[in-house]
Amino acid sequence: MSDSWNLMKNWHQVIPPSRPSTEQLHYLASFSKDLNKTNAVGVLGSTMEFRDLLYELGFENIYIFDRNEWFYEQTSNARIYKNKETFVHGDWLDTISNYKNKFSLILSDLTSGNISYDHRGKFFSDIENALIEQGHFYDKVLTHDNLISVSSLIKKYQTMPVNNITVNYFSCEFLFCSELLGETKKVETTKIYQQLNEASDSLRIKKFIELCKIITPEGFMWYYGKYWNELKLEYCKNLTKINELEDHKASPYFKRVKLFHFIKKNHERF
């Protein structure tokens, strides 16, 4: 099976909230600076902002979990630092379970959308089991309790300038937050672009679509669209939540993206 991430050739043009923000990284530094730097830490995906910050904080034993070696190499070449890492190649559903009681910290930036709904329980259970006692899980999740109407978004972007920031926000709102997800509960980029082209004759909207394909190519699929009230039932059930943060107000994901900080604690037995 071919991996669509081979199509992600313009990652340098993708900006927050589709990548870690300054605030997100500052919070990570604030709680992880005092962790034991010789303990193993894990990153789900090749998120280079996490990898550079972990090096700056002094972590010595960094594991990167990614099924796409090409994307790992591309992001490695774009990094600030060239420190040694352990690359774990393979599907998360196959690899994370091999590292029980291993990590004092696992980092995740919008990873759950890559996992089909029927495998979410296993995914989060594997993460829980991979943490040591008092281990931390820091996760950014896109949540929904409603979907935005396409007509309102067309009206909004019809008066916006076309630049890299607005194109990124167009991708966030139309592809990941709009009512176009309602039917299948999936982001199927080829299908959504087709629907958007049919929904508007505006040349401005069509220019947004054209440029959006550069940062969010056709041929991708993510699992977004189900409401959070349903999905949270399988989310980190055996970890203790110590913080939940919102994205900043100017973000297209404000009130949708949540930053969750968990810690693993053995439940007391009576």
Side-chain angles (χ1 to χ4, degrees), residues 148-159:
I148 310 169
S149 78
V150 171
S151 60
S152 68
L153 288 175
I154 288 175
K155 184 177 180 182
K156 173 181 177 179
Y157 281 88
Q158 185 55 43
T159 61

Side-chain angles (χ1 to χ4, degrees), residues 75-172:
T75 53
S76 296
N77 291 335
R79 283 189 56 205
I80 303 166
Y81 307 107
K82 306 301 177 188
N83 55 296
K84 180 181 178 297
E85 297 173 320
T86 300
F87 177 61
V88 183
H89 185 210
D91 190 302
W92 296 325
L93 295 170
D94 300 324
T95 57
I96 299 170
S97 58
N98 297 324
Y99 294 86
K100 290 186 178 177
N101 301 307
K102 177 74 174 179
F103 300 106
S104 64
L105 171 65
I106 295 177
L107 302 176
S108 159
D109 188 73
L110 297 174
T111 62
S112 60
N114 295 283
I115 305 296
S116 65
Y117 297 121
D118 55 345
H119 288 119
R120 293 279 176 93
K122 172 180 164 46
F123 177 60
F124 292 115
S125 177
D126 287 346
I127 290 169
E128 293 165 1
N129 291 331
L131 291 171
I132 62 172
E133 175 73 3
Q134 299 297 311
H136 296 256
F137 180 45
Y138 184 44
D139 188 22
K140 185 165 86 184
V141 182
L142 178 59
T143 68
H144 292 305
D145 59 15
N146 63 76
L147 296 172
I148 310 169
S149 78
V150 171
S151 60
S152 68
L153 288 175
I154 288 175
K155 184 177 180 182
K156 173 181 177 179
Y157 281 88
Q158 185 55 43
T159 61
M160 293 179 74
V162 180
N163 56 49
N164 192 50
I165 294 174
T166 57
V167 168
N168 269 269
Y169 286 11
F170 183 97
S171 173
C172 290

Side-chain angles (χ1 to χ4, degrees), residues 2 24 27 68 90 111 132 165 184 252 270:
S2 64
Q24 185 179 351
Y27 181 80
N68 192 304
T111 62
I132 62 172
I165 294 174
T184 64
F270 298 94

Side-chain angles (χ1 to χ4, degrees), residues 159-248:
T159 61
M160 293 179 74
V162 180
N163 56 49
N164 192 50
I165 294 174
T166 57
V167 168
N168 269 269
Y169 286 11
F170 183 97
S171 173
C172 290
E173 294 198 283
F174 273 99
L175 274 72
F176 293 89
C177 297
S178 82
E179 63 189 3
L180 294 174
L181 309 182
E183 184 182 339
T184 64
K185 306 295 190 290
K186 296 175 193 173
V187 176
E188 298 175 279
T189 58
T190 303
K191 180 180 178 182
I192 288 176
Y193 286 130
Q194 211 168 29
Q195 292 173 309
L196 285 178
N197 268 312
E198 294 168 359
S200 175
D201 293 326
S202 162
L203 292 181
R204 184 176 295 269
I205 297 299
K206 290 190 184 300
K207 175 57 73 172
F208 270 116
I209 294 169
E210 174 193 334
L211 296 175
C212 193
K213 290 180 180 179
I214 295 173
I215 60 167
T216 314
E218 294 179 285
F220 271 79
M221 184 177 72
W222 287 277
Y223 293 87
Y224 291 112
K226 281 193 176 184
Y227 287 172
W228 184 238
N229 274 342
E230 180 181 355
L231 294 176
K232 70 182 181 182
L233 300 176
E234 290 189 305
Y235 183 59
C236 298
K237 294 184 292 187
N238 299 309
L239 299 179
T240 301
K241 184 170 72 174
I242 58 177
N243 214 341
E244 177 181 331
L245 306 166
E246 295 282 356
D247 205 3
H248 64 88

